[in-house]
Amino acid sequence: MTNYNGSDIILRTEGLKKSFGNDSVLNGIDFAVRKGEIISIIGRSGCGKTTFLRCLNCLTIMNQGKIIIGDIELSSSEFIGQILGDDFKSKNSRENYLKDSLQYITSETIQSKVHEIRQSVGFLFQDLNLFPHLSVIENVMLPLEKVLHYTRINARDTSQALLKKVGMERFADRNSGKISGGQAQRVAIARALAVNPDIMLYDEPTSALDPELVLEFIEIVRQLKNEGMTQIIVTHSLGLARNVSERVAFMDKGEIIETASPAELFDSPKDERTKDYIGKLLLN
């Protein structure tokens, strides 16, 4: 991937690696995104796309490398040096670390950085993860009350405004287990936006949506783009990647193979692996 060193870079990774046991999932990813940019990441199932997103939000702990988001810099050496102190040298403690148990982080410095990153980076999960026993607005209020410590009245007012942004204000008091898939996605986006992130991550956001709802999702992405939101989309949909992205990255076997504008990547890919992947998708 092209290296960007300008002041407009909002997110960067250097040599990012992740393994689960003997299974190497990410193999040294150098990645950079400009502020306000929309970039899509495509690639075969199992190539590491979702794991990469989870590392960016500290939902998964990297084994090696560095993540820089705005003014926050987090390196694997900090985890390795400060998790569990001397106990980290023991086999059992190391295995716990490799299982991504953030509960084992005892350093207040690391905890603070992780908290800052999670406030800076919103995450739309593929399965959305709404709480079905709560109403639509209560789902959006949760991060405001639990993370930002809003009063209940302020949390509700802010949540109502977020639901209006995604066209769900009329459903605020409906049980979230009784709304459609497209509606649930919009609620999940509102909830991710509640902490006022600088970056949004989407994991296969259109995989379960019909074409009309895909268009609604694209409209929300473009609206957020107009507001200056940086967005990273993991998707199998070449149409989505082509229509909303300024750049597209092709990932294979834990590596970013090439990155280019949608027209360049889809019409004139440089790497044979990219050509093979796109060619097979276009045949289906």
Side-chain angles (χ1 to χ4, degrees), residues 208-247:
L209 301 181
D210 62 37
E212 185 177 352
L213 294 177
V214 171
L215 292 177
E216 290 183 6
F217 171 75
I218 290 174
E219 183 180 342
I220 291 173
V221 169
R222 287 175 173 164
Q223 176 185 344
L224 293 175
K225 162 72 176 177
N226 290 337
E227 296 173 5
M229 179 71 71
T230 305
Q231 299 172 85
I232 303 173
I233 305 170
V234 158
T235 182
H236 281 105
S237 171
L238 300 191
L240 176 65
R242 183 186 287 271
N243 285 321
V244 304
S245 310
E246 291 154 273
R247 289 189 297 143

Side-chain angles (χ1 to χ4, degrees), residues 9 17 41 75-76 88 153 165-166 198 205 214 218 239 248 250-251 260 265:
I9 295 302
K17 294 184 178 182
I41 303 175
S75 69
S76 58
F88 184 79
I153 292 175
K165 180 192 286 282
V166 299
D198 299 310
V214 171
I218 290 174
V248 180
F250 171 63
M251 193 169 180
L265 193 84

Side-chain angles (χ1 to χ4, degrees), residues 121-139:
V121 183
F123 199 119
L124 183 72
F125 297 90
Q126 185 173 1
D127 57 5
L128 304 182
N129 289 347
L130 294 182
F131 294 98
H133 64 288
L134 298 178
S135 69
V136 163
I137 197 165
E138 285 171 336
N139 267 278

Side-chain angles (χ1 to χ4, degrees), residues 245-277:
S245 310
E246 291 154 273
R247 289 189 297 143
V248 180
F250 171 63
M251 193 169 180
D252 188 49
K253 296 180 180 179
E255 299 179 19
I256 300 289
I257 303 303
E258 64 176 296
T259 306
S261 70
E264 289 174 315
L265 193 84
F266 293 131
D267 300 335
S268 304
K270 294 182 174 60
D271 192 279
E272 288 300 321
R273 290 165 290 183
T274 314
K275 292 178 184 178
D276 180 66
Y277 175 73

Side-chain angles (χ1 to χ4, degrees), residues 23-279:
D23 184 15
S24 180
V25 180
L26 302 177
N27 298 309
I29 294 182
D30 296 320
F31 184 80
V33 184
R34 301 182 186 93
K35 184 173 183 177
E37 184 177 27
I38 301 175
I39 182 167
S40 290
I41 303 175
I42 62 172
R44 297 175 178 85
S45 296
C47 72
K49 302 186 300 298
T50 295
T51 299
F52 180 56
L53 287 193
R54 291 179 62 86
C55 284
L56 295 181
N57 200 342
C58 294
L59 293 170
T60 292
I61 301 173
M62 59 186 161
N63 295 124
Q64 187 173 323
K66 186 181 294 185
I67 298 170
I68 303 101
I69 296 176
D71 296 328
I72 311 163
E73 181 173 316
L74 189 61
S75 69
S76 58
S77 61
E78 291 180 276
F79 281 119
I80 294 172
Q82 297 183 39
I83 287 179
L84 300 170
D86 292 337
D87 290 338
F88 184 79
K89 298 175 183 177
S90 73
K91 179 180 178 182
N92 289 338
S93 295
R94 183 172 180 80
E95 287 178 352
N96 284 329
Y97 163 69
L98 294 176
K99 290 177 182 176
D100 302 299
S101 296
L102 283 171
Q103 63 181 315
Y104 292 99
I105 297 177
T106 58
S107 163
E108 291 184 4
T109 301
I110 297 294
Q111 289 176 349
S112 176
K113 285 187 178 183
V114 169
H115 181 72
E116 284 186 75
I117 286 174
R118 287 182 174 172
Q119 283 190 246
S120 299
V121 183
F123 199 119
L124 183 72
F125 297 90
Q126 185 173 1
D127 57 5
L128 304 182
N129 289 347
L130 294 182
F131 294 98
H133 64 288
L134 298 178
S135 69
V136 163
I137 197 165
E138 285 171 336
N139 267 278
V140 182
M141 290 169 64
L142 268 179
L144 291 168
E145 293 182 297
K146 302 298 183 182
V147 178
L148 300 183
H149 308 295
Y150 277 38
T151 65
R152 190 155 184 85
I153 292 175
N154 288 340
R156 187 174 182 90
D157 289 344
T158 301
S159 297
Q160 192 71 37
L162 288 166
L163 289 172
K164 184 175 182 179
K165 180 192 286 282
V166 299
M168 285 296 292
E169 69 273 21
R170 293 187 298 111
F171 301 89
D173 294 314
R174 183 169 295 185
N175 186 289
S176 61
K178 297 181 179 179
I179 57 177
S180 71
Q183 291 170 334
Q185 185 189 66
R186 282 183 275 167
V187 174
I189 291 173
R191 185 179 62 182
L193 293 172
V195 294
N196 195 28
D198 299 310
I199 303 166
M200 275 291 295
L201 310 178
Y202 307 94
D203 187 15
E204 296 292 353
T206 62
S207 60
L209 301 181
D210 62 37
E212 185 177 352
L213 294 177
V214 171
L215 292 177
E216 290 183 6
F217 171 75
I218 290 174
E219 183 180 342
I220 291 173
V221 169
R222 287 175 173 164
Q223 176 185 344
L224 293 175
K225 162 72 176 177
N226 290 337
E227 296 173 5
M229 179 71 71
T230 305
Q231 299 172 85
I232 303 173
I233 305 170
V234 158
T235 182
H236 281 105
S237 171
L238 300 191
L240 176 65
R242 183 186 287 271
N243 285 321
V244 304
S245 310
E246 291 154 273
R247 289 189 297 143
V248 180
F250 171 63
M251 193 169 180
D252 188 49
K253 296 180 180 179
E255 299 179 19
I256 300 289
I257 303 303
E258 64 176 296
T259 306
S261 70
E264 289 174 315
L265 193 84
F266 293 131
D267 300 335
S268 304
K270 294 182 174 60
D271 192 279
E272 288 300 321
R273 290 165 290 183
T274 314
K275 292 178 184 178
D276 180 66
Y277 175 73
I278 293 173

